[in-house]
Amino acid sequence: MTQAQRKFRREPAEQRKEALIVAALALIAEHGVRGATVRAIADRADVTQGLIRHYFSSKEDLISAAYAYHMSRMTNLTAAPDVPEGASARTRLAVFVTAGLSPPVVDPASVSLWASFLNKVREDARMRKIHEQTYHDFRDRLEGLIAKALTEAGIAATPARHRQLAIACNAVIDGLWMEGGALPGAFEPGELPEIGLQSVGAIIGIDLRETGHMT
């Protein structure tokens, strides 16, 4: 289909922007950031290159938006599972850890995307800022859950200690997430969440494996 033949899309602006971002992410996962040219993204999204330029001032602008979208989506998927009303703070923390180490968060394509963006994060100040923001978003959510679980268990800890625990637990979750996505066949079903619950529980001093939310 030629540029002139492509149909004008009447979806809301945010929906059109999201479609362009999703197309860019698909290409980055397949061919890396360099392979996600404006022409290739337009072809994948079945739109004109002019429509891309209408929403994004440059390819770098679109790549930054795609990175922010991808990283925020991972955090939101981790926080998305429903928790029964009145669930304990320990259960809420266990659900968060389990979701972060289960599909669709643990996914080869997601890890491939993350790896593809690494050089851009190192080289581009805007990408580094997005990385920092999304990292703190995830870690702050984790820190809040840890603080509430400790309070519920009667374990006293300062805000500084909550922060340190969240950093350590985040590192465990990130490491398991990367291994699970890079080597999906190396782990039994449910093994990554189990290891994550054991490890995070050991770090904070609370057994997270008896909440009834193992997968």
Side-chain angles (χ1 to χ4, degrees), residues 86-162:
S88 67
R90 184 181 69 158
T91 293
R92 293 181 182 278
L93 175 58
V95 170
F96 186 87
V97 173
T98 299
L101 294 172
S102 305
V105 178
V106 175
D107 174 70
S110 294
V111 172
S112 176
L113 274 171
W114 175 82
S116 296
F117 282 119
L118 277 183
N119 282 338
K120 294 288 290 183
V121 170
R122 183 183 62 188
E123 298 168 356
D124 188 290
R126 180 166 52 173
M127 294 284 282
R128 284 198 301 274
K129 184 175 181 180
I130 293 170
H131 182 80
E132 182 178 359
Q133 288 175 338
T134 53
Y135 166 76
H136 282 294
D137 183 23
F138 185 92
R139 200 190 74 194
D140 288 350
R141 296 193 198 195
L142 181 59
E143 182 177 337
L145 291 168
I146 289 171
K148 290 177 181 178
L150 291 175
T151 298
E152 179 183 78
I155 301 173
T158 64
R161 182 58 177 160
H162 292 156

Side-chain angles (χ1 to χ4, degrees), residues 29-49:
E30 295 168 10
H31 306 293
V33 173
R34 290 185 179 180
T37 64
V38 172
R39 179 184 295 277
I41 293 168
D43 288 343
R44 181 62 61 93
D46 192 24
V47 299
T48 65
Q49 295 181 49

